[in-house]
Amino acid sequence: MSKYLITLKPLGKYFFGGDMTFQVGADEKSKFNEAFSSYIIASNKFPQQTSLLGMMRYLLLTQSPEVFSQDRNRIIDQSKATDLIGRESFKVLIGHNNTNDFGKIKSLGPCFLRKGEEAVLPVPKDYRFGISFGKNESSSVYYNARALSLPAIEGYSAKERYDVLYIGLNSGTVYKEEEIFQKDSRIGINKNYKGRSDTKGFYKQISYRLKDNFHFAFVVECDFDLKACQNEIVSLGADGSRFSLSATLLSESGIELAYPKDSLKVVTGGSRVILLSDTLLNVADLASVRFSITETIPFRFLCTNVETRNYNILGDAKRVQERYYLYERGSVFYFADETAAAAFGTLVNDKKEFRQIGYNNYIIQ
């Protein structure tokens, strides 16, 4: 079993799909189109962990000609494919107390940015602010019939718009979002089967490019030799965006996801948990949280298996019906002390199938 650092360098613009899509099929009144379609669609800046998992499963298939025919783009031995990549794609398990079977792939780490050899993460959501609990706490407020005491927040103004920032984990260099991601907007109109413009087919699609030597990276643990995978061309994302993939042993990379201590302001009178990845939490998990600065994002995914032939959403691939909401990476939760923070961390870890593929990662810092 080995851990590899996987790097993904975009070969042009990319588009990572999210919860919303363009209209699917011809039925405008379908429940799916009414709930999840729009004529303006913007790419996510980061790929979903389920997309990275799907890419890695496909990579292992393409490296195994006895299992997969690249000419036909088909699995030719379902039994061997099950041993190699597992029978099914990611699924949410009842109770979250087990992991999925992905064959030779044991786990993925959260996706992050790299510039050169340095890891880069979004700053914690309290990066600019001094959080102080204790004698300077604001008066108690009530939320869901529960009394809470707000901390004093130094440096925060409700009237100010704060830029999204990223930080290099070795140098402490801070980047604005526009220094990393470049928008690539396309406006067009679909045509009907007679070649005429469809007046209801106008669309705007916002893709992204990475600037200035930035690329994506993540760690994968697997029982498969990936050392030969250098500058492999892979597809990832809703539009089959192209990336150059390379794998190196993690022990040779020196990567560790932790913020420079001198870059974060000290929390006075408590302890904090910072999310390193998007994270699933239940309402009951938040009972011990004293205060938090968070955002949530919707999460849905496609379901496939080794018998799938058409991976289009109109084909064999089915999008899970339930919409989940994940706490966004960089969200911060505050606790009375490190013991309470560690207990909360245990609850984060307990969503085992999410943690297995790179969600539910955190640090106490």
Side-chain angles (χ1 to χ4, degrees):
M1 194 71 62
S2 299
K3 287 186 177 182
Y4 295 92
L5 177 67
I6 305 296
T7 59
L8 290 169
K9 298 181 179 181
L11 299 180
K13 66 183 179 70
Y14 66 82
F15 187 92
F16 296 141
D19 198 49
M20 299 300 291
T21 68
F22 294 120
Q23 180 176 313
V24 175
D27 184 4
E28 294 181 44
K29 299 298 183 181
S30 74
K31 290 183 179 179
F32 182 92
N33 283 324
E34 289 180 349
F36 302 114
S37 68
S38 171
Y39 72 93
I40 301 177
I41 300 295
S43 169
N44 292 331
K45 295 180 177 66
F46 286 82
Q48 284 194 169
Q49 294 294 134
T50 47
S51 298
L52 296 177
L53 172 65
M55 180 199 69
M56 290 304 304
R57 295 174 80 220
Y58 186 77
L59 178 66
L60 265 59
L61 287 173
T62 60
Q63 302 295 309
S64 308
E66 73 282 3
V67 178
F68 185 82
S69 169
Q70 294 199 55
D71 292 337
R72 297 165 55 195
N73 198 31
R74 291 286 186 273
I75 290 172
I76 55 179
D77 191 320
Q78 292 183 7
S79 177
K80 289 183 179 179
T82 299
D83 292 338
L84 183 65
I85 63 169
R87 186 179 185 281
E88 297 179 303
S89 59
F90 174 79
K91 60 183 179 182
V92 177
L93 303 175
I94 297 174
H96 309 296
N97 56 4
N98 210 337
T99 57
N100 287 291
D101 177 16
F102 302 126
K104 303 293 185 182
I105 300 173
K106 302 309 175 186
S107 67
L108 272 65
C111 184
F112 57 94
L113 289 164
R114 290 185 85 195
K115 184 177 183 183
E117 300 301 313
E118 183 178 42
V120 178
L121 287 178
V123 299
K125 295 187 183 299
D126 66 350
Y127 176 75
R128 304 169 177 85
F129 315 128
I131 306 296
S132 178
F133 294 92
K135 62 181 181 180
N136 294 323
E137 285 184 26
S138 302
S139 58
S140 294
V141 296
Y142 287 87
Y143 177 74
N144 288 344
R146 177 183 166 207
L148 299 174
S149 294
L150 299 179
I153 306 177
E154 179 188 354
Y156 174 75
S157 171
K159 296 181 179 180
E160 186 171 347
R161 178 185 177 276
Y162 295 99
D163 293 327
V164 178
L165 302 177
Y166 291 75
I167 187 169
L169 301 191
N170 294 334
S171 65
T173 303
V174 176
Y175 306 92
K176 291 184 178 181
E177 194 168 49
E178 56 267 28
E179 295 179 290
I180 301 175
F181 301 97
Q182 177 182 337
K183 280 187 179 181
D184 188 317
S185 299
R186 307 292 171 97
I187 298 174
I189 183 170
N190 291 323
K191 292 186 176 182
N192 59 29
Y193 289 111
K194 295 181 181 179
R196 297 177 180 174
S197 296
D198 182 355
T199 57
K200 297 180 181 179
F202 291 102
Y203 66 88
K204 180 177 181 180
Q205 183 173 6
I206 302 172
S207 302
Y208 286 99
R209 299 175 185 270
L210 290 183
K211 294 182 178 181
D212 195 22
N213 200 31
F214 283 97
H215 55 273
F216 296 108
F218 64 98
V219 173
V220 61
E221 182 179 11
C222 66
D223 190 15
F224 192 94
D225 189 355
L226 295 175
K227 291 192 292 292
C229 294
Q230 302 298 323
N231 301 315
E232 294 273 343
I233 306 302
V234 298
S235 296
L236 180 65
D239 280 0
S241 307
R242 310 287 271 181
F243 293 79
S244 174
L245 178 150
S246 295
T248 56
L249 288 171
L250 181 62
S251 58
E252 300 172 1
S253 69
I255 289 292
E256 181 182 359
L257 297 186
Y259 292 100
K261 290 185 177 180
D262 58 358
S263 70
L264 303 180
K265 293 186 178 180
V266 175
V267 176
T268 303
S271 187
R272 115 186 102 198
V273 168
I274 305 171
L275 299 185
L276 296 176
S277 67
D278 300 335
T279 296
L280 178 73
L281 292 168
N282 300 328
V283 173
D285 299 333
L286 305 175
S288 63
V289 176
R290 197 175 185 183
F291 182 71
S292 64
I293 305 175
T294 67
E295 289 187 38
T296 60
I297 56 173
F299 170 65
R300 297 171 79 228
F301 52 92
L302 297 178
C303 301
T304 62
N305 57 50
V306 294
E307 298 167 359
T308 299
R309 290 291 178 265
N310 183 351
Y311 288 88
N312 190 286
I313 194 170
L314 292 176
D316 300 331
K318 302 300 179 185
R319 181 174 288 205
V320 66
Q321 292 299 305
E322 184 172 357
R323 177 190 283 173
Y324 299 88
Y325 285 91
L326 307 182
Y327 284 89
E328 191 176 44
R329 72 184 75 208
S331 293
V332 187
F333 301 85
Y334 302 91
F335 302 88
D337 50 43
E338 286 196 10
T339 300
F344 177 78
T346 299
L347 298 175
V348 175
N349 287 339
D350 282 346
K351 312 298 184 293
K352 293 183 179 179
E353 80 276 38
F354 278 82
R355 186 169 175 83
Q356 179 189 17
I357 65 167
Y359 293 115
N360 285 56
N361 279 255
Y362 70 94
I363 55 172
I364 299 174
Q365 194 168 353

